[in-house]
């Protein structure tokens, strides 16, 4: 992973500068943003309303409309970035969708192991004023990058997708009314969670070792000439914001309507990946929408307080975009 810039300023200042061109994934490996792993300050006056409990043997944050189950609701999976299940901001984001009539299940994708430095980021940070301070900060940033590389190696799709399948199966049982009322399960995802919305929206061969990986050897009992069974999609429609670790291949087998919230000049979700995804969805006649938000940092769409009014307005607009997409499908 390429070294990140020294974290010596408030995140919204990132939006005021032109980021360096993203390196090719083939050359640099997967990259993540500080905003995928660190929360903004919690919005004033807001606190989580749901509960953490087990569902299908997996820890989830569960939040429901106040009128449920008296009034019909729909089932929504919310897939987080690296800040994970216990992030207050992620829980508040889930509550916002619950207030709009969704039973929201936010699974612990990382099995109790959120990304390093998943703590609230101060509203402002003091610039380093000496060479020694700069050196210390650079050394700390290099260490964080190493820890993040190790964390990503622990949490691959081979680990996360089985978690999601367990949760989906449990939702289809316990919340069959909400799944049925919506005609399926909906999903929203932020940062890392955004990529898993794409994977849940895809169809693959059941024999694949991973969603984009190689095929397993043919099963002799099943017969060499037997066509591989298909698996997925698992959701009815999906919306994702500033996705992370996405490759063009992740758009290749999409089967359900998708809405994308993107950041202009985002080095973590570069333009070439976005345009390749748009081309793939257009060629397959998949219903989709893509909105690019200028002047905002990666991670802006997750609940969190920003001093910059433009970022606050973009955050509200992105939420409305995602909500409308779910409601319309």
């Amino acid at each position: 992973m390429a070294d990140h810039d020294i974290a010596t300023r408030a995140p919204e200042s990132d939006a005021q500068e032109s980021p360096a061109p993203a390196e090719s994934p083939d050359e640099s490996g997967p990259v993540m943003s500080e905003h995928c792993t660190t929360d903004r300050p919690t919005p004033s006056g807001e606190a989580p309303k749901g509960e953490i409990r087990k569902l299908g043997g997996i820890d989830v944050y569960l939040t429901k409309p106040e009128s449920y189950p008296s009034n019909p609701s729909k089932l929504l999976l919310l897939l987080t970035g690296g800040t994970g299940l216990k992030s207050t901001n992620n829980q508040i984001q889930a509550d916002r969708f619950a207030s709009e009539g969704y039973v929201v299940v936010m699974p612990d994708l990382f099995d109790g192991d959120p990304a390093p430095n998943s703590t609230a980021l101060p509203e402002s940070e003091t610039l380093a004023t000496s060479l020694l301070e700069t050196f210390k900060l650079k050394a700390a940033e290099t260490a964080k990058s190493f820890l993040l590389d190790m964390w990503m190696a622990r949490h691959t799709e081979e680990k996360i997708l089985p978690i999601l399948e367990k949760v989906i199966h449990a939702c289809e049982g316990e919340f069959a009314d909400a799944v049925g009322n919506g005609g399926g399960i909906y999903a929203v995802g932020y940062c890392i969670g955004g990529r898993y919305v794409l994977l849940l929206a895809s169809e693959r061969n059941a024999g694949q070792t991973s969603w984009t990986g190689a095929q397993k050897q043919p099963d002799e009992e099943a017969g060499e000439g037997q066509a591989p069974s298909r698996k997925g999609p698992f959701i009815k429609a999906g919306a994702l914001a500033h996705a992370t670790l996405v490759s063009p291949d992740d758009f290749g087998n999409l089967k359900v309507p998708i809405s994308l919230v993107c950041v202009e000049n985002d080095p973590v979700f570069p333009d070439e990946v976005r345009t390749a995804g748009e081309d793939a969805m257009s060629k397959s006649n998949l219903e989709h929408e893509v909105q690019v938000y200028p002047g905002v940092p990666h991670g802006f769409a997750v609940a969190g307080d920003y001093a910059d009014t433009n970022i606050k307005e973009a955050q509200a607009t992105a939420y409305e975009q995602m909500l409308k997409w779910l409601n319309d499908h």
Side-chain angles (χ1 to χ4, degrees), residues 288-303:
H288 67 280
E289 68 174 6
V290 179
Q291 295 293 330
V292 179
Y293 290 74
V296 297
H298 185 95
F300 81 99
V302 179

Side-chain angles (χ1 to χ4, degrees), residues 93-305:
Q93 190 72 55
D95 291 341
R96 291 178 180 177
F97 284 106
S99 71
E100 298 291 341
Y102 291 88
V103 174
V104 183
V105 175
M106 187 172 78
D108 181 4
L109 302 179
F110 314 117
D111 194 23
D113 177 34
N117 302 301
S118 295
T119 56
L121 196 67
E123 177 63 20
S124 62
E125 296 167 342
T126 303
L127 290 171
T129 57
S130 73
L131 181 61
L132 178 60
E133 288 171 333
T134 301
F135 175 80
K136 288 179 178 178
L137 285 166
K138 188 65 177 178
E141 193 65 23
T142 300
K144 285 196 296 183
S145 295
F146 174 76
L147 290 173
L148 194 53
D149 285 342
M150 297 296 291
W151 180 81
M152 286 192 290
R154 293 196 299 273
H155 299 292
T156 62
E157 63 193 70
E158 289 79 12
K159 297 286 185 66
I160 292 176
L161 285 168
I163 289 173
L164 287 171
E165 291 190 27
K166 289 178 183 178
V167 170
I168 288 170
H169 180 70
C171 287
E172 290 171 337
E174 182 168 343
F175 301 110
D177 58 334
V179 175
N181 183 57
I185 294 174
Y186 296 84
V188 295
Y190 298 85
C191 298
I192 298 170
R195 178 175 186 247
Y196 285 92
V197 171
L198 294 178
L199 298 187
L200 292 179
S202 299
E203 182 181 72
R204 63 165 177 156
N205 290 335
Q208 283 181 216
T209 57
S210 71
W211 285 71
T212 56
Q215 298 291 320
K216 291 181 180 178
Q217 294 299 315
D219 187 339
E220 293 182 1
E221 294 183 1
E224 293 287 338
Q226 182 174 320
S229 60
R230 307 298 292 175
K231 195 172 187 180
F234 288 89
I235 59 175
K236 181 181 179 183
L240 50 146
H242 36 71
T244 300
L245 307 180
V246 173
S247 75
D249 289 342
D250 294 330
F251 293 93
N253 296 305
L254 293 175
K255 300 298 180 183
V256 304
I258 292 292
S259 173
L260 278 78
V261 169
C262 302
V263 173
E264 186 179 45
N265 300 320
D266 186 351
V268 186
F269 187 64
D271 289 347
E272 56 265 30
V273 173
R274 174 175 56 80
T275 54
E278 292 184 73
D279 289 345
M281 291 186 289
S282 296
K283 288 178 181 177
S284 62
N285 293 316
L286 183 80
E287 183 183 1
H288 67 280
E289 68 174 6
V290 179
Q291 295 293 330
V292 179
Y293 290 74
V296 297
H298 185 95
F300 81 99
V302 179
D305 192 22

